[in-house]
């Protein structure tokens, strides 16, 4: 199905959505303050402690969704804000509904990977899984859909931000490389699963009253 929304309107919608997303994350971080600490049984625990992902705790499984909007202080938030804004805007230009579907797939795959495989007793939160997922989505979307413009976007994103791929390796203490790795996988999965269908070709039609070949044409 062809997206017939004018390009300018799509850009405004994509920009407004991503700015709203950033505002929400900044408000949530402001409620917790900088450098929130998590202590077991603390009744006044910061939101990021309550809504972060606690591995293999069945009662906390749905926290994989709000955890993507929570951060451990402003440094953590700032590190995610700019790439999320850029990647999200580029991905949302192809349609808000599909973009939201892509983000749902990314958050689900990234969150489940963290929930299943992270160390016991840890709490994981942050938008970096979404950042890596959108990065992977943009890289492969054009090749999956055979779209020259999206291929160009993907190559440009790789040239500018390709160093992000080091983040899927366990090289930094206190950083959820599992969230990055599964987020990237979720973005690639979303590119295949939510790819656009081919536009059906219209068959040529004959003018009314013309049945058979034109005069002088072999039948």
């Amino acid at each position: 199905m062809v997206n017939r929304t004018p390009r300018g309107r799509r850009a405004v919608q994509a920009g407004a959505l991503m700015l709203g997303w950033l505002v929400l994350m900044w408000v949530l971080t402001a409620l917790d303050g900088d450098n929130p600490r998590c202590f077991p049984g603390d009744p006044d625990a910061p939101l990021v402690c309550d809504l972060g992902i606690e591995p293999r705790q069945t009662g906390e499984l749905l926290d994989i969704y709000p955890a993507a909007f929570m951060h451990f202080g402003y440094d953590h938030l700032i590190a995610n804000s700019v790439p999320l804004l850029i990647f999200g805007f580029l991905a949302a230009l192809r349609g808000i509904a599909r973009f939201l579907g892509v983000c749902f797939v990314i958050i689900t795959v990234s969150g489940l990977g963290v929930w299943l495989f992270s160390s016991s007793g840890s709490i994981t939160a942050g938008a970096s899984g979404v950042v890596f997922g959108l990065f992977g989505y943009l890289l492969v979307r054009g090749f999956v859909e055979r779209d020259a413009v999206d291929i160009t976007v993907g190559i440009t994103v790789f040239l500018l931000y390709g160093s992000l791929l080091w983040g899927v390796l366990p090289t930094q203490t206190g950083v959820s490389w599992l969230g990055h790795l599964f987020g990237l996988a979720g973005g690639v999965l979303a590119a295949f699963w939510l790819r656009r269908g081919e536009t059906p070709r219209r068959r040529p039609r004959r003018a009314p009253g013309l049945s058979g070949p034109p005069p002088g044409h072999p039948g």
Side-chain angles (χ1 to χ4, degrees):
M1 186 174 181
V2 179
N3 189 342
R4 301 186 183 277
T5 305
R7 291 182 181 178
R9 184 178 174 187
R10 292 204 304 266
V12 170
Q13 290 174 341
L17 175 62
M18 295 315 302
L19 287 175
W21 191 325
L22 289 184
V23 168
L24 174 60
M25 294 196 308
W26 277 84
V27 168
L28 291 172
T29 302
L31 291 175
D32 276 350
D34 200 16
N35 196 28
R37 301 295 183 90
C38 301
F39 300 100
D42 182 4
D44 298 318
L47 289 173
V48 69
C49 301
D50 286 337
L51 300 178
I53 302 172
E54 298 182 50
R56 295 170 296 282
Q57 300 294 319
T58 54
E60 307 292 327
L61 180 57
L62 290 180
D63 284 347
I64 64 175
Y65 297 105
F69 299 87
M70 312 301 302
H71 290 83
F72 289 99
Y74 293 112
D75 288 343
H76 185 202
L77 174 60
I78 291 170
N80 285 329
S81 291
V82 174
L84 178 65
L85 177 62
I86 295 172
F87 297 161
F89 176 78
L90 292 174
L93 283 174
R94 289 304 188 194
I96 300 300
R98 186 160 65 129
F99 171 73
L100 294 177
V102 168
C103 290
F104 178 79
V105 173
I106 291 171
I107 292 173
T108 301
V109 174
S110 176
L112 282 176
V114 170
W115 187 82
L116 286 169
F117 299 111
S118 281
S119 302
S120 298
S122 64
I123 298 178
T124 303
S128 58
V130 181
V131 169
F132 275 79
L134 291 174
F135 176 70
Y137 173 74
L138 291 171
L139 286 185
V140 304
R141 177 182 64 181
F143 296 97
V144 171
E145 300 182 359
R146 299 178 182 179
D147 186 291
V149 174
D150 287 342
I151 289 174
T152 302
V153 170
I155 292 173
T156 303
V157 166
F158 177 76
L159 292 175
L160 294 176
Y161 293 96
S163 60
L164 277 178
L165 290 173
W166 292 109
V168 303
L169 301 176
T171 56
Q172 277 187 282
T173 304
V175 175
S176 178
W177 65 275
L178 284 168
H180 299 172
L181 177 62
F182 281 96
L184 185 70
V188 174
L189 173 64
F192 283 93
W193 191 12
L194 301 176
R195 65 183 179 272
R196 291 176 297 180
E198 294 185 3
T199 304
R201 297 180 179 179
R202 303 182 71 177
R203 299 181 60 183
R205 299 177 61 185
R206 291 182 177 182
L210 297 180
S211 57
H217 192 282

